[in-house]
Amino acid sequence: AISKCGFGNFGQQYTLRSDWNRTWYTDKPDLTECFQNTVLVWFPCFYLWLLAPFYALKLYCHDCGCIRISTLCTAKTVSGEGRKQHICHADPQHWSSPGVRAQSPPVLPVHPRLHGQVLAICIIQLERIRGCRSSIFLFLFWVLAVVCSLVPLRAKIQLVMYEEGVLNLHTQCIIAVPLRLVVKGYRTPLEAGDLWNLREEDTSDKIISDLEEEWTTECAKLQQQEKTMAAGVALGTRLPDQAQILRKLQKEQSSGFCLLRTLARNFGPYFLTGTMCIIFHDFFMFAIPQVLSLLLGFMNEEDAPLWKGYFYATLMFLLSCLQSLFNHQYMYTCFTVGMRVKTAVMGLVYRKSLVINSASRRTCTVGEIVNLVSADTQKLMDFVVYFNAVWLAPIEIALCLFFLWQHLGPSALAGIATVILIFPLNGFIAKKRSKLQVQMKFMDGRIKLMNEILNGIKILKFYAWEKAFLEQVLGYREKELKALKKSQILYSISIASFNSSTFLIAFAMFGVYVLIDDKNVLDAQKVFVSMALINILKTPLSQLPFAMSTTMQAIVSLKRLGKYLCSEELKDDNVAKAPLSTGVLIDNGTFSWTKEGPPCLKRINVCVPQGSLVAVVGHVGSGKSSLLSAMLGETEKRSGSVSIKGSVAYVPQQAWIQNATVQDNVMFGREKQKTWYQRVLDACALLPDLEILPAGDSTEIGEKGLNLSGGQKQRVSLARAVYRKADVYLLDDPLSAVDAHVGQHIFDKVIGPKGVLRDKTRVLVTHGMSFLPQADLILVLVDGEITESGSYQELLSRHGAFADFIHTFASNDRKESVTETAAQRGRTSLGDTNSTNLQGMELEMYMEYFKTIGMAFIIPIVFLYAFQQGASLAYNYWLSLWADEPIVNGTQVDTDMKLAVYGALGFAQGIAIFGTTVAISVGGIIASRHLHMDLLKNVLHSPMSFFETTPSGNLLNRFAKEIDAIDCMIPDGLKMMLGYLFKLMEVCIIVMLATPFAAVVILPLAILYAFVQSFYVATSCQLRRLESVSRSPIYTHFNETVQGASVIRAFGEQHRFIVQANKRIDFNQTSYFPRFVATRWLAVNLEFVGNGVVLAAAILSVMGKDTLSPGIVGLAVSHSLQVTGILSWIVRSWTDVENNIVSVERVKEYADTAKEAVWTVEGSSLPLAWPQTGTIEFQDYGLQYRKGLDWALKGITLKIQEREKVGIVGRTGAGKSSLALGIFRILEAAKGEIYIDGVNIAEIGLHDLRSRITIIPQDPVLFSGSLRMNLDPFNTYTDEEIWSSLELAHLKNFVSNLPDKLNYECSEGGENLSLGQRQLVCLARALLRKTKILVLDEATAAVDLETDTLIQSTIRQQFEDCTVLTIAHRLNTIMDYTRVIVMDKGHISEMDSPTNLISNRGQFYRMCREARLV
């Protein structure tokens, strides 16, 4: 063996002679035995020995926990030992025939193989100990070992075949088994339980815990820089407006950069492994044209041995396969990093929403926060995938041009010039498109408005304002679509220039090449190798603008996210948790809602003794709620100090209820203590309500407590606080929405001196006078200052403002009533009402989409695509004919004519590309306009029951994510899919023109392609739907958290809510991760199919060498090289379209839900002045909240005369509010009729009815926009009329003092007005409309007694000639009414004048006695 290697003689030592005659210049090539027994054996072993120390070091530094040794692991180790023994005793006798003499085994190979196997087994054990489950390091070793063993294996098989006379050997190809998940998804609908659990490194806990600390540090540095800059400005000076704007922009930019830097530090190293893969991919990609050049050279050589052709064909196939593998490993890495970035950013935004201060909160609405976690995180994911193209694409372009120079010489400069011309054009287009990103601003505005509409839908229906808000939404939508249309037309120019770039570069280079010198001829080698390089060039040229655009969008998103994440937080030192002798202490405190704004509380000195009850009283807007916010640390502390002893429980003025069961709302994350729990329910008067609810305390409450009445929500909110067993209780008017007897019960059993909280420190904001004598201390607030404080008797004895107030209103004590329970509406469970519809994608969705576009658009689009690809086919075929043109006297004839024809066909294709992209974009905008319009109308025409059973997160998701998909994703996917589909047809035609026999290969490959595609699409669509369904709860939870942040903070439950958010995000990513893994699986399989076409085209070309010209072979093979990419893009775009067409389905899903009656009846004979008298008549009227539920109203027969004032009272669940809902037809009659002025209200349009009668509702809802818009959205009234209504509503002084008066911008939900002021705005609305019928539903529940008295007098004076129905909130307000109706369990139990009812000593008498009115 040694002598065979050339070591036998001294003169020949270390001279391994290369025998080229044996390996290359021969018909039967082979490697020398010496090479086989040395280099091929040592190479994989050297790889293992060289890198093993570094790999061991990596394992040592990354301990993931020991993996238990299994039976399989033991079997593997034993088999490894077996292989080692086999290597030691390897004998060629195994390969020789019986008649051939056995040779002694070669000496050299034994030791390296043996040592390599031993080292591999050791590394396997080390990986097991360090918790490494899969090893790319060992995988590469085994691949190298197998590849290097193939050559000796072939040599030995040939030896055996030669000895035994075997002529042929048929090999079988094993196709990889598809993933189990894909197969399961194809066979049966996938469910959440079928999906894999997330790996630990992909979970929210792991990702955010690593990132949060670093981001906090970065944020602190940024704030320090801001403080330094602020300190640099001289005290007392004010920066000019321009300088302030510049500083604001700089802050946004630096915060975005900080976020990017933090993300890069955390996810950069793993991202770099993907970058290495794309570099290897590029190496193989550039090797393929070089092999094509050799193949075409072989076709020109008449006496070249055939094996070389087969060798080149096989090499091209192998390089294509390696290119595919590395490309998809890169894509997998990018998508994994993208997923982690999305998780990280969503987690940071969520955590920020729990600590953001009120000033920052007012600048960022719920809709905008939802947009941050939906749209902006998606843009960051896209950025991760395409970022490498920003720097790699120019390098790829430079390499392409270098290789082109080698083939065409200086003519390649013409290609460079073309690229240089294309770049500024696309740069200009990208800049223009980035300016058109205002579309995002309009989208934000639309989503924000939709969020408000969904939150205030009940008010919209009561006031018949749907049309006004529909017009506002459509106004935003039209601006959004206008910007989108301009952007898409510019994008179409960009696409046309890039898709034509292959032709333009080729035309420029070939034109210059043949025109500068007649001796320059275009042969097949020059043409098609150049075309292959230009096709490679096309990828970076097309990716670069998209990557730049994605990067620009990501920068905008980073700025938005950075701005939000760096916004000011609540300061930890706002409230000190110090061990005090007192419960709450505020020393000389001045507080405001913003740093720059006026103080809302001034000179506050409060000392609340431990275990005492302190009542806070004052007019609307005097600062009562602000005082509690100051105690909670929610306001900006200008001066002074706040200290609280122990834990805090908080009951807000507007109850915040979670979308969870009653029990979960009460326990609020604490363990259930059965006895205490029952005691709390009893004390808060919730036990009777639980008996009515369908599933008791397991009934799930709708979003914002939709299926509970106002009183029930308030009592659940109070029960949550009581259950907590806190030290300090801050109660913001919790008795404002409960019945008189319930209010007294709660005060006695919970808040008062004998209540369960008697030993706790209690601060109670109240308007109820009857509770004040039992308070230990009373604070009187006027305009943000404490004017008086002391006990009830002390304040009375001072004869001050409080004493006058008490004497005036002592008889008008507040006794509340409540709307009847919505328990009849109660549901035992809530959630995403969307089924995942896991059947195959229905053709109807495509038909619906295309029908919306219109056939007038679709037919020209198809013809344009056909023309586009026909032109492409023609100029490529023309080029192959040109390349085969015979050379006469060193030149080709008619080159000018050939160039002109080539140019004309290419330019025709470019125009067709522009036409197709514009047509699809415009068609997509037409479809999205119609679909959005239908969705909006369907939602606004839905009855209230729909909104009570559909979480607003789901609806908001339709208007945000799904409409965005229809706007952009579907048209872009269609452009790509149709373009590549027609391109594939062109390639197949060309390959079959060159080698008709290729049809035999292409047909089965097409069947295999269709088979794999069908497997994947079925699974992918199901995974997409699972992901969509799991996304809505994230937005719902975000929405809920932002609105209840102050309660969550007060109870110290931030951590639990963060854990819940993490679970929702992880559940969503559990659906997303298998989806992109399945995409990679599909792409790898399909690209191998494409590589099969390359192999077939090359092998068949070699086989037909004698009959085929180099030009046609070059055309076929260079086009077949594109199949891999084409198939990949077809699947990607097809899948995108299939996945996003689900958005059409989800948007259309509300078309089939129940709708309200028509808004207006055409040809209605209803008089304009109806109702003229205001008589209301109920005839055997019955009402159900849903079929199958108990009757809310049972056979009500009643006539209310004109100008009559009727009070409606009753216990919880008696049916009081059901009467109001029936009059407004919020619920339709189950039986009987209601007549108003003799007109059956069921026969007229809803808007005809609702716009002619007025309600002042229980929940005062305002919308973001001007105060004027909130009063008069249709601009029907003059400013004088509006000022008059404000004056009567006692708001004129307040509005006059506002900076913009009627144009004052109300924030989302009217948060910059107090609850009482919002209630007065609702009163002003009613005064403005002044209809003949007025319904008051707890209309003054949130105002103080003095204001209530003013309101009541206003109502009596202004609505004197109207019919007034009052659902009584204070019994004293209805004592002078014409009649009182006492409701009980859906019946009218008593009805007469108040005096007669009291004298009858019935139910009304008992209620009055409880209210101490009799």
Side-chain angles (χ1 to χ4, degrees):
I2 290 173
S3 63
K4 282 179 185 175
C5 287
F7 291 104
N9 299 318
F10 182 80
Q12 292 177 330
Q13 272 188 346
Y14 308 105
T15 58
L16 289 169
R17 185 166 55 86
S18 299
D19 190 352
W20 287 102
N21 291 327
R22 182 176 177 183
T23 57
W24 191 251
Y25 303 110
T26 175
D27 289 341
K28 293 180 180 178
D30 202 357
L31 292 169
T32 62
E33 192 176 342
C34 175
F35 188 89
Q36 290 180 37
N37 291 337
T38 53
V39 175
L40 294 184
V41 172
W42 282 84
F43 181 66
C45 298
F46 265 128
Y47 159 80
L48 193 67
W49 294 339
L50 193 64
L51 297 181
F54 299 104
Y55 186 60
L57 183 64
K58 176 184 175 289
L59 289 174
Y60 177 76
C61 295
H62 294 82
D63 186 5
C64 298
C66 182
I67 298 170
R68 190 173 56 82
I69 191 160
S70 63
T71 311
L72 182 63
C73 182
T74 309
K76 283 181 180 178
T77 310
V78 171
S79 69
E81 285 294 324
R83 283 199 302 275
K84 184 175 74 176
Q85 295 301 320
H86 177 74
I87 290 165
C88 291
H89 302 95
D91 195 325
Q93 281 181 342
H94 294 294
W95 291 97
S96 61
S97 61
V100 179
R101 182 177 64 84
Q103 296 177 345
S104 58
V107 176
L108 282 172
V110 172
H111 295 296
R113 279 182 183 168
L114 176 63
H115 295 155
Q117 288 285 345
V118 171
L119 187 55
I121 290 168
C122 292
I123 288 171
I124 289 170
Q125 292 307 315
L126 182 60
E127 284 178 337
R128 183 183 64 76
I129 292 163
R130 307 303 287 180
C132 179
R133 292 185 179 277
S134 60
S135 171
I136 189 70
F137 174 69
L138 281 180
F139 173 75
L140 287 174
F141 167 68
W142 298 124
V143 169
L144 286 171
V146 169
V147 170
C148 291
S149 302
L150 289 175
V151 178
L153 178 67
R154 171 184 165 275
K156 288 169 182 174
I157 289 171
Q158 279 184 332
L159 177 66
V160 174
M161 285 168 59
Y162 177 77
E163 293 294 338
E164 295 183 353
V166 179
L167 297 174
N168 291 306
L169 179 71
H170 297 285
T171 59
Q172 294 181 338
C173 294
I174 299 168
I175 298 170
V177 179
L179 291 172
R180 277 180 291 180
L181 183 70
V182 178
V183 175
K184 186 161 189 175
Y186 181 73
R187 288 177 178 166
T188 56
L190 286 177
E191 294 173 2
D194 298 324
L195 306 178
W196 318 308
N197 290 329
L198 280 180
R199 298 171 299 187
E200 189 194 349
E201 59 266 32
D202 293 329
T203 57
S204 299
D205 279 343
K206 174 69 177 163
I207 291 167
I208 299 167
S209 61
D210 293 346
L211 188 78
E212 194 175 13
E213 193 175 332
E214 198 166 333
W215 171 246
T216 307
T217 310
E218 284 288 342
C219 230
K221 284 182 190 171
L222 201 66
Q223 284 167 357
Q224 190 60 44
Q225 286 174 11
E226 181 68 20
K227 283 177 186 173
T228 309
M229 283 174 69
V233 180
L235 286 172
T237 61
R238 187 176 179 275
L239 281 172
D241 290 344
Q242 287 182 333
Q244 283 185 337
I245 291 166
L246 191 65
R247 274 183 63 180
K248 190 180 175 186
L249 289 171
Q250 282 176 342
K251 187 182 176 184
E252 281 182 29
Q253 198 163 350
S254 55
S255 60
F257 176 70
C258 280
L259 179 59
L260 179 62
R261 191 168 57 200
T262 308
L263 293 170
R265 278 184 194 150
N266 278 268
F267 307 115
Y270 183 62
F271 180 71
L272 287 175
T273 61
T275 305
M276 290 302 296
C277 289
I278 200 68
I279 290 168
F280 279 116
H281 160 269
D282 279 12
F283 171 76
F284 296 123
M285 180 174 71
F286 281 108
I288 291 169
Q290 308 309 316
V291 178
L292 175 63
S293 178
L294 294 171
L295 178 65
L296 293 174
F298 159 81
M299 295 298 290
N300 275 325
E301 290 179 30
E302 291 183 7
D303 56 347
L306 273 179
W307 71 265
K308 283 190 182 180
Y310 293 128
F311 170 72
Y312 294 140
T314 309
L315 183 59
M316 207 179 297
F317 171 72
L318 288 172
L319 288 171
S320 297
C321 291
L322 286 168
Q323 181 189 349
S324 297
L325 284 171
F326 277 98
N327 181 41
H328 293 296
Q329 180 59 38
Y330 165 70
M331 294 301 286
Y332 169 79
T333 306
C334 284
F335 275 105
T336 304
V337 173
M339 181 180 80
R340 290 174 185 174
V341 165
K342 184 177 179 180
T343 299
V345 172
M346 286 174 94
L348 287 176
V349 169
Y350 185 79
R351 281 155 178 74
K352 187 72 179 183
S353 67
L354 286 169
V355 293
I356 193 168
N357 70 10
S358 58
S360 304
R361 168 70 187 84
R362 286 175 186 184
T363 62
C364 201
T365 63
V366 178
E368 285 167 344
I369 294 170
V370 169
N371 226 13
L372 287 177
V373 296
S374 58
D376 290 308
T377 50
Q378 187 60 48
K379 284 179 172 55
L380 287 188
M381 285 183 75
D382 294 341
F383 169 68
V384 169
V385 175
Y386 293 102
F387 168 69
N388 273 326
V390 173
W391 65 270
L392 201 56
I395 295 171
E396 289 171 348
I397 291 165
L399 282 170
C400 282
L401 294 173
F402 168 74
F403 287 122
L404 285 166
W405 182 289
Q406 286 189 324
H407 283 276
L408 299 174
S411 305
L413 291 171
I416 297 169
T418 310
V419 172
I420 289 168
L421 284 171
I422 290 170
F423 263 94
L425 171 68
N426 283 281
F428 172 76
I429 289 168
K431 194 174 179 182
K432 281 281 185 189
R433 287 190 75 212
S434 68
K435 284 182 181 175
L436 288 169
Q437 283 295 311
V438 290
Q439 160 204 351
M440 284 291 288
K441 185 178 77 179
F442 296 131
M443 183 182 171
D444 278 351
R446 178 171 61 82
I447 300 304
K448 174 183 164 186
L449 184 59
M450 277 313 306
N451 186 50
E452 292 192 63
I453 286 171
L454 295 173
N455 288 339
I457 190 70
K458 197 169 188 177
I459 301 300
L460 259 60
K461 292 197 175 296
F462 273 136
Y463 287 120
W465 280 359
E466 293 101 327
K467 279 185 183 175
F469 281 83
L470 183 136
E471 291 302 322
Q472 279 191 50
V473 173
L474 293 181
Y476 276 116
R477 182 70 179 150
E478 280 308 308
K479 288 174 187 171
E480 187 185 347
L481 289 179
K482 192 177 177 183
L484 182 66
K485 191 175 182 180
K486 285 180 184 174
S487 178
Q488 288 292 347
I489 289 170
L490 287 170
Y491 189 44
S492 297
I493 298 170
S494 190
I495 287 175
S497 67
F498 272 103
N499 283 1
S500 304
S501 59
T502 308
F503 155 74
L504 290 169
I505 295 165
F507 179 67
M509 287 196 296
F510 295 158
V512 171
Y513 185 70
V514 296
L515 292 174
I516 57 172
D517 191 347
D518 289 344
K519 298 294 180 185
N520 284 347
V521 293
L522 285 175
D523 58 14
Q525 208 165 356
K526 281 192 177 70
V527 168
F528 292 107
V529 172
S530 298
M531 289 302 288
L533 285 165
I534 291 167
N535 280 326
I536 288 174
L537 182 62
K538 192 176 171 182
T539 303
L541 280 175
S542 63
Q543 278 187 348
L544 190 58
F546 186 71
M548 287 169 72
S549 169
T550 304
T551 305
M552 294 305 294
Q553 287 179 1
I555 288 168
V556 172
S557 292
L558 279 166
K559 283 181 187 173
R560 282 156 56 94
L561 285 161
K563 180 188 171 186
Y564 179 73
L565 292 172
C566 283
S567 52
E568 290 189 15
E569 299 178 2
L570 292 165
K571 293 172 186 169
D572 293 334
D573 62 352
N574 275 355
V575 179
K577 295 281 184 182
L580 305 166
S581 56
T582 55
V584 181
L585 178 66
I586 302 178
D587 182 27
N588 197 26
T590 301
F591 307 91
S592 64
W593 286 108
T594 60
K595 272 186 178 178
E596 296 79 21
C600 58
L601 295 168
K602 295 165 282 188
R603 296 179 286 279
I604 302 294
N605 287 287
V606 175
C607 178
V608 180
Q610 193 173 338
S612 63
L613 170 60
V614 174
V616 181
V617 296
H619 300 303
V620 168
S622 59
K624 302 184 296 296
S625 296
S626 299
L627 181 64
L628 294 194
S629 295
M631 291 176 180
L632 288 168
E634 297 285 321
T635 54
E636 192 73 37
K637 186 172 68 178
R638 294 281 186 87
S639 65
S641 64
V642 183
S643 302
I644 285 188
K645 182 177 183 180
S647 58
V648 177
Y650 172 54
V651 180
Q653 192 171 12
Q654 271 191 306
W656 174 74
I657 302 294
Q658 273 189 284
N659 181 192
T661 64
V662 176
Q663 181 173 299
D664 290 340
N665 267 282
V666 172
M667 295 197 302
F668 205 53
R670 292 298 172 102
E671 287 183 14
K672 187 172 182 180
Q673 298 171 6
K674 200 167 182 182
T675 311
W676 176 241
Y677 177 70
Q678 288 301 322
R679 192 178 165 197
V680 169
L681 293 183
D682 177 49
C684 295
L686 277 169
L687 291 175
D689 299 296
L690 295 183
E691 289 171 14
I692 301 168
L693 291 169
D697 65 356
S698 299
T699 303
E700 192 164 347
I701 305 172
E703 265 188 281
K704 298 176 191 156
L706 270 170
N707 51 335
L708 296 183
S709 71
Q712 286 170 330
K713 282 190 278 189
Q714 196 65 276
R715 279 177 280 137
V716 169
S717 179
L718 181 64
R720 176 200 296 144
V722 177
Y723 189 81
R724 178 59 50 144
K725 293 184 180 175
D727 299 310
V728 177
Y729 283 81
L730 304 179
L731 313 170
D732 196 351
D733 208 6
L735 307 177
S736 64
V738 294
D739 286 338
H741 70 290
V742 174
Q744 196 63 49
H745 171 94
I746 289 172
F747 188 82
D748 294 341
K749 293 285 185 110
V750 178
I751 303 166
K754 296 178 182 177
V756 291
L757 303 181
R758 58 185 172 275
D759 299 325
K760 307 292 184 181
T761 306
R762 293 143 288 156
V763 180
L764 171 69
V765 170
T766 184
H767 294 127
M769 297 297 108
S770 63
F771 309 128
L772 297 182
Q774 298 176 70
D776 300 311
L777 176 69
I778 298 169
L779 304 176
V780 183
L781 272 170
V782 178
D783 295 333
E785 288 192 61
I786 297 175
T787 56
E788 293 181 88
S789 66
S791 69
Y792 185 75
Q793 292 303 326
E794 283 172 11
L795 291 177
L796 281 181
S797 62
R798 285 178 199 166
H799 303 295
F802 177 78
D804 297 340
F805 179 74
I806 290 293
H807 291 313
T808 309
F809 298 103
S811 60
N812 297 345
D813 198 2
R814 166 182 214 161
K815 297 297 163 189
E816 300 82 356
S817 174
V818 65
T819 58
E820 99 289 355
T821 180
Q824 292 104 324
R825 305 168 239 172
R827 296 157 287 166
T828 52
S829 67
L830 286 159
D832 194 333
T833 54
N834 314 300
S835 64
T836 49
N837 257 349
L838 296 176
Q839 301 307 316
M841 176 54 67
E842 297 172 7
L843 190 62
E844 285 84 29
M845 285 306 112
Y846 286 101
M847 296 308 295
E848 184 69 46
Y849 184 75
F850 292 129
K851 188 171 77 179
T852 314
I853 294 173
M855 291 306 289
F857 255 91
I858 291 167
I859 293 167
I861 287 169
V862 174
F863 276 116
L864 276 169
Y865 267 114
F867 175 75
Q868 169 191 322
Q869 233 48 57
S872 175
L873 175 62
Y875 80 65
N876 279 302
Y877 189 67
W878 181 259
L879 207 54
S880 74
L881 294 176
W882 188 354
D884 285 335
E885 189 76 19
I887 299 165
V888 181
N889 297 326
T891 185
Q892 289 173 320
V893 295
D894 296 330
T895 50
D896 293 351
M897 183 271 289
K898 292 186 178 78
L899 190 64
V901 172
Y902 179 62
L905 290 167
F907 281 110
Q909 185 207 16
I911 293 163
I913 291 170
F914 176 71
T916 51
T917 49
V918 168
I920 287 179
S921 297
V922 173
I925 287 168
I926 289 169
S928 69
R929 178 184 278 115
H930 284 298
L931 289 167
H932 177 266
M933 177 81 84
D934 290 347
L935 173 65
L936 184 59
K937 285 184 175 175
N938 283 326
V939 167
L940 290 180
H941 276 87
S942 297
M944 270 310 298
S945 58
F946 168 79
F947 297 98
E948 288 167 357
T949 53
T950 309
S952 64
N954 294 3
L955 290 169
L956 211 56
N957 193 25
R958 299 293 189 280
F959 283 98
K961 189 84 176 177
E962 311 300 350
I963 289 293
D964 188 45
I966 293 168
D967 281 349
C968 304
M969 308 293 282
I970 294 177
D972 288 352
L974 282 172
K975 283 176 206 171
M976 204 180 289
M977 186 179 79
L978 289 170
Y980 283 110
L981 206 58
F982 279 93
K983 183 69 180 171
L984 183 65
M985 287 165 62
E986 179 197 340
V987 171
C988 291
I989 291 166
I990 286 171
V991 171
M992 287 191 285
L993 274 175
T995 52
F997 191 65
V1000 177
V1001 179
I1002 287 173
L1003 193 63
L1005 285 177
I1007 294 166
L1008 177 63
Y1009 172 75
F1011 175 70
V1012 173
Q1013 166 93 347
S1014 64
F1015 256 89
Y1016 168 73
V1017 168
T1019 303
S1020 175
C1021 287
Q1022 292 172 49
L1023 289 170
R1024 168 73 160 81
R1025 292 176 193 217
L1026 284 171
E1027 196 229 337
S1028 290
V1029 168
S1030 64
R1031 197 188 311 122
S1032 291
I1034 296 174
Y1035 302 148
T1036 304
H1037 187 65
F1038 265 71
N1039 202 329
E1040 196 173 74
T1041 303
V1042 172
Q1043 288 174 340
S1046 58
V1047 177
I1048 296 165
R1049 283 193 290 266
F1051 282 85
E1053 288 291 325
Q1054 294 97 316
H1055 178 71
R1056 183 169 64 86
F1057 274 77
I1058 286 168
V1059 169
Q1060 284 181 11
N1062 286 353
K1063 282 180 182 174
R1064 282 172 163 84
I1065 292 168
D1066 286 349
F1067 183 58
N1068 179 240
Q1069 301 293 38
T1070 303
S1071 306
Y1072 174 76
F1073 183 69
R1075 187 157 69 88
F1076 81 71
V1077 169
T1079 307
R1080 300 277 65 81
W1081 168 83
L1082 171 81
V1084 169
N1085 279 280
L1086 291 190
E1087 289 195 13
F1088 274 90
V1089 170
N1091 295 335
V1093 175
V1094 175
L1095 185 64
I1099 294 284
L1100 290 169
S1101 298
V1102 172
M1103 288 169 68
K1105 183 188 175 191
D1106 299 332
T1107 56
L1108 295 174
S1109 67
I1112 204 77
V1113 168
L1115 181 67
V1117 175
S1118 66
H1119 271 69
S1120 69
L1121 284 171
Q1122 296 177 49
V1123 171
T1124 304
I1126 290 169
L1127 288 178
S1128 175
W1129 279 106
I1130 285 175
V1131 172
R1132 189 181 299 181
S1133 54
W1134 191 336
T1135 307
D1136 281 348
V1137 173
E1138 285 274 292
N1139 284 338
N1140 287 304
I1141 208 79
V1142 177
S1143 296
V1144 177
E1145 182 185 9
R1146 285 166 75 83
V1147 163
K1148 292 296 290 181
E1149 127 182 57
Y1150 295 130
D1152 303 324
T1153 54
K1155 298 289 175 286
E1156 285 186 311
V1158 291
W1159 285 345
T1160 51
V1161 177
E1162 288 185 22
S1164 171
S1165 58
L1166 198 68
L1168 281 173
W1170 180 90
Q1172 290 173 318
T1173 59
T1175 59
I1176 306 170
E1177 187 177 356
F1178 292 80
Q1179 291 184 359
D1180 193 29
Y1181 184 76
L1183 194 68
Q1184 282 177 298
Y1185 280 96
R1186 274 207 313 274
K1187 281 185 181 177
L1189 292 179
D1190 291 340
W1191 291 80
L1193 294 174
K1194 306 167 188 174
I1196 302 290
T1197 301
L1198 163 71
K1199 185 161 186 180
I1200 298 168
Q1201 302 298 336
E1202 61 181 286
R1203 302 179 64 180
E1204 195 172 2
K1205 308 294 183 280
V1206 178
I1208 303 166
V1209 297
R1211 306 288 187 190
T1212 297
K1216 303 184 298 295
S1217 283
S1218 297
L1219 280 174
L1221 297 176
I1223 292 170
F1224 281 85
R1225 283 177 65 193
I1226 297 295
L1227 292 170
E1228 296 288 359
K1231 67 172 185 175
E1233 294 90 24
I1234 299 176
Y1235 290 88
I1236 294 179
D1237 277 13
V1239 176
N1240 185 347
I1241 64 169
E1243 294 172 2
I1244 61 175
L1246 290 177
H1247 281 191
D1248 294 335
L1249 169 67
R1250 293 170 185 170
S1251 63
R1252 312 286 183 91
I1253 58 179
T1254 304
I1255 188 168
I1256 302 178
Q1258 181 181 0
D1259 297 318
V1261 176
L1262 298 190
F1263 301 94
S1264 61
S1266 70
L1267 194 57
R1268 195 189 200 293
M1269 186 280 293
N1270 271 286
L1271 291 166
D1272 178 27
F1274 291 99
N1275 285 323
T1276 315
Y1277 304 98
T1278 63
D1279 281 4
E1280 288 75 21
E1281 289 173 306
I1282 290 172
W1283 278 112
S1284 173
S1285 70
L1286 288 172
E1287 186 174 9
L1288 292 167
H1290 312 286
L1291 274 174
K1292 188 176 181 180
N1293 291 339
F1294 169 71
V1295 176
S1296 300
N1297 293 327
L1298 292 174
D1300 299 317
K1301 298 185 170 49
L1302 287 177
N1303 294 319
Y1304 177 71
E1305 279 292 313
C1306 298
S1307 62
E1308 188 176 15
E1311 285 182 359
N1312 50 352
L1313 299 180
S1314 76
L1315 193 63
Q1317 285 165 338
R1318 277 178 264 166
Q1319 193 74 69
L1320 293 175
V1321 171
C1322 292
L1323 173 65
R1325 284 175 186 162
L1327 290 162
L1328 203 55
R1329 286 160 72 111
K1330 200 159 184 197
T1331 56
K1332 282 289 178 184
I1333 295 174
L1334 174 67
V1335 178
L1336 286 91
D1337 186 358
E1338 282 200 276
T1340 53
V1343 296
D1344 59 83
L1345 284 174
E1346 189 175 2
T1347 312
D1348 183 28
T1349 307
L1350 291 170
I1351 290 170
Q1352 294 299 337
S1353 66
T1354 302
I1355 289 169
R1356 282 177 175 80
Q1357 291 165 19
Q1358 298 302 315
F1359 294 96
E1360 189 181 358
D1361 58 344
C1362 304
T1363 303
V1364 178
L1365 273 72
T1366 300
I1367 295 168
H1369 54 95
R1370 295 175 178 167
L1371 293 184
N1372 64 287
T1373 60
I1374 59 163
M1375 295 306 279
D1376 60 344
Y1377 274 28
T1378 322
R1379 269 192 292 175
V1380 171
I1381 297 169
V1382 182
M1383 300 293 298
D1384 185 33
K1385 296 180 182 175
H1387 293 286
I1388 295 175
S1389 66
E1390 294 177 13
M1391 180 170 63
D1392 208 332
S1393 67
T1395 313
N1396 290 345
L1397 288 175
I1398 289 170
S1399 62
N1400 291 341
R1401 293 182 173 261
Q1403 193 172 340
F1404 183 69
Y1405 168 76
R1406 288 194 294 275
M1407 292 171 74
C1408 289
R1409 192 176 60 191
E1410 285 172 7
R1412 297 173 188 168
L1413 291 174
V1414 293

